[in-house]
Amino acid sequence: MNRLTIVEHNNIALVAPEIADQDMLAEWMHDIATNTYLDQNDFEWWVCPRLMQLKTFEGQLSKHGHLMVIYLKDTNEIAGTITLHSLNEYHRYATPGIRIFSKYHSQGIGTQAMRLLLKYAFELQGFHKVNLYVWAENTGAIECYKRCWFQQIGYHREHYWRFDRYHDVMDMEILVDEYKRLKHEWFV
């Protein structure tokens, strides 16, 4: 693997995006099974090579935060993307975003990648809390977040408009102290 690795464990690595990833990621943007529960505007800049060249991992990605590619080391494949965005440097919290390509759904890759993102957020970036909204009907993602020890702290009825109707969302979070107590179970 000749990629800038940010954090890794076993066969999964979170790596910096490269220009060579752009076409494949843009193709996955149009896969309905991959994107059902995601904001379609999150990764519009992948389709423009010049913007990709300007947005490096080392720089502040003002809209997208810290974007990484989920890389499967044993097969040299990209399984999705993961990011920390909505960064609040003063209060030390951030929001994760994860996109697992449909052919990798239900294989535990999302759980492993989210745990690595939490390691990155808490150990390397010094955040105090990671919080997110998840569609209440997205049971696969909810189970993933629960396996990563996120706690439900709220529920918002008819919060997102998509597919010609409103959808409920759960508000979930994990604190750095919770992560510290539980990380030894994940990274053995």
Side-chain angles (χ1 to χ4, degrees), residues 116-133:
L116 286 173
L117 184 71
L118 292 173
K119 180 176 184 166
Y120 171 78
F122 293 130
E123 295 182 29
L124 301 177
Q125 296 298 310
F127 283 102
H128 175 73
K129 174 171 70 173
V130 174
N131 64 299
L132 58 86
Y133 285 144

Side-chain angles (χ1 to χ4, degrees), residues 25-26 28-46 63-64 67 81 83 85-86 95-100 133-135 138 145 159-163 167 169:
L25 292 172
W28 282 105
M29 264 183 49
H30 303 291
D31 177 47
I32 293 172
T34 298
N35 296 294
T36 298
Y37 298 108
L38 302 175
D39 182 349
Q40 293 301 307
N41 296 318
D42 280 348
F43 293 91
E44 76 279 355
W45 58 274
W46 278 106
K63 180 177 177 186
H64 301 286
L67 174 71
T81 58
T83 185
H85 57 87
S86 303
T95 300
I98 185 167
R99 178 183 304 239
I100 302 294
Y133 285 144
V134 58
W135 290 35
N138 190 352
Y145 300 137
H159 194 71
Y160 287 150
W161 175 262
R162 185 126 184 239
F163 306 121
H167 301 268
V169 298

Side-chain angles (χ1 to χ4, degrees), residues 101-165:
F101 305 141
S102 59
K103 79 180 208 174
Y104 300 106
H105 286 183
S106 302
Q107 297 179 34
I109 294 168
T111 299
Q112 291 178 63
M114 184 57 67
R115 288 175 177 175
L116 286 173
L117 184 71
L118 292 173
K119 180 176 184 166
Y120 171 78
F122 293 130
E123 295 182 29
L124 301 177
Q125 296 298 310
F127 283 102
H128 175 73
K129 174 171 70 173
V130 174
N131 64 299
L132 58 86
Y133 285 144
V134 58
W135 290 35
E137 61 201 64
N138 190 352
T139 56
I142 292 167
E143 289 306 311
C144 168
Y145 300 137
K146 286 180 179 178
R147 285 189 296 274
C148 294
W149 299 104
F150 279 83
Q151 303 294 315
Q152 180 180 344
I153 59 165
Y155 193 91
H156 305 274
R157 296 178 305 142
E158 297 184 1
H159 194 71
Y160 287 150
W161 175 262
R162 185 126 184 239
F163 306 121
D164 297 323
R165 68 182 183 93

